[in-house]
Amino acid sequence: MPSVTTALALLVGLLGGGLAGAVFTWFVNRPPKTVITYSVNTATLAASGQSAGIPNLKVAIGDVPISALYAHSIELRCVKGRFIKSVDVAVRFPRDLKIYGLNTEVPNSLHEIACTNVPRGVRCTLTPISPGVSDGYRVTLATDEAEPPVVEMAADSVELLSVDRFVSSQVWSLRTLFTGRRVAFLVPTVLYLAILFFVRGSFIGSFIRPLIVGKIMSLDGKPINGATVEVVLKSPHVDYAPAQTDSYGDFLVGGGLGPIAPTRKMSLISGRLRIVHPDYAPREEDFHSPIIVETLSPKNLRQ
């Protein structure tokens, strides 16, 4: 996500010429950084003290009894940037542990993942990293460790962010406008844009396609896979291609540069949402936040 200073310099380059155009060209020709997001979900399969209500209940793997079993699912997805042949990802736990099972999933048949055991976790090679692919890589570990792992990556021009941190980075904070040396750049830039606004009589509008993320669930809180989500922003006006929810019920649309209809009126995000799934009643309603959480009712349930 570009900084506020970067975005304003880009806008100046679009509106002006000369030095402004040179600044814009420099920003455009910079190699983009590839961003990979990750999420970690932990489920308790068996734990000491949780079977007190069931006499003589035992949990074993083969003939070996175990007192605790946890499943840690790590999902990685390339959300923007350029194509990369391969990267290595480390999934490390805080202490030594037993790994009873390892399962991996890839976005499609053109992708591969190979994992090997390392002290306190695993190391996985993802091949390739492709932006624009709807599904991601997934690594699921069955262990005796309850605490979730740490996900790490060391690669040139690649940034690894948690999903929460990535979503937060897409929302610009007004406090970043007036910190440190940025003021020296922002003041003349704002004056320049104000002059263009009054002289030309119109504002070219925003050139950023807002990122919209969300989760679709059933009434009992289970994620809905394969729901079609149609998002139309009214302010600023943007038409997105329909998105599909994944096995976690999550979807993501937008992000990056794209055409937005010019507007004189500046306002917060607002739009219309429509969700369709063959097993659930369709839902359509307005929204006013870049983060959406909705529930669907079964078709045979009267609302």
Side-chain angles (χ1 to χ4, degrees), residues 150-188:
V150 175
V151 183
E152 299 174 329
M153 178 183 297
D156 186 29
S157 299
V158 177
E159 186 175 10
L160 179 68
L161 298 173
S162 67
V163 172
D164 293 340
R165 186 178 175 187
F166 174 70
V167 172
S168 298
S169 71
Q170 306 303 297
V171 182
W172 292 356
S173 172
L174 291 177
R175 290 179 298 178
T176 63
L177 287 172
F178 304 101
T179 57
R181 291 173 292 180
R182 291 179 179 175
V183 174
F185 177 86
L186 291 175
V187 171

Side-chain angles (χ1 to χ4, degrees), residues 77-79 106-108 111 128-137:
R77 181 177 301 176
C78 180
V79 293
V106 295
N108 54 52
H111 296 72
I129 298 299
S130 308
V133 178
S134 58
D135 295 325
Y137 292 91

Side-chain angles (χ1 to χ4, degrees), residues 39 41 45 69-76 91 93 99-107 112-117 121-126 136-143 247-248:
S39 61
N41 294 281
L45 303 181
L69 184 62
Y70 304 90
H72 305 276
S73 180
I74 302 95
E75 183 173 3
L76 302 110
V91 179
F93 290 85
I99 298 178
Y100 297 110
L102 169 64
N103 183 60
T104 60
E105 299 178 34
V106 295
E112 297 179 357
I113 182 171
C115 297
T116 57
N117 291 336
V122 296
R123 175 177 177 175
C124 299
T125 301
L126 315 181
Y137 292 91
R138 183 172 292 125
V139 179
T140 303
L141 296 166
T143 76
S247 58
Y248 292 97

Side-chain angles (χ1 to χ4, degrees), residues 19-40:
L19 179 60
V23 172
F24 169 71
T25 301
W26 181 78
F27 275 109
V28 169
N29 292 329
R30 289 187 309 166
K33 179 174 288 188
T34 299
V35 177
I36 298 176
T37 63
Y38 72 91
S39 61
V40 179

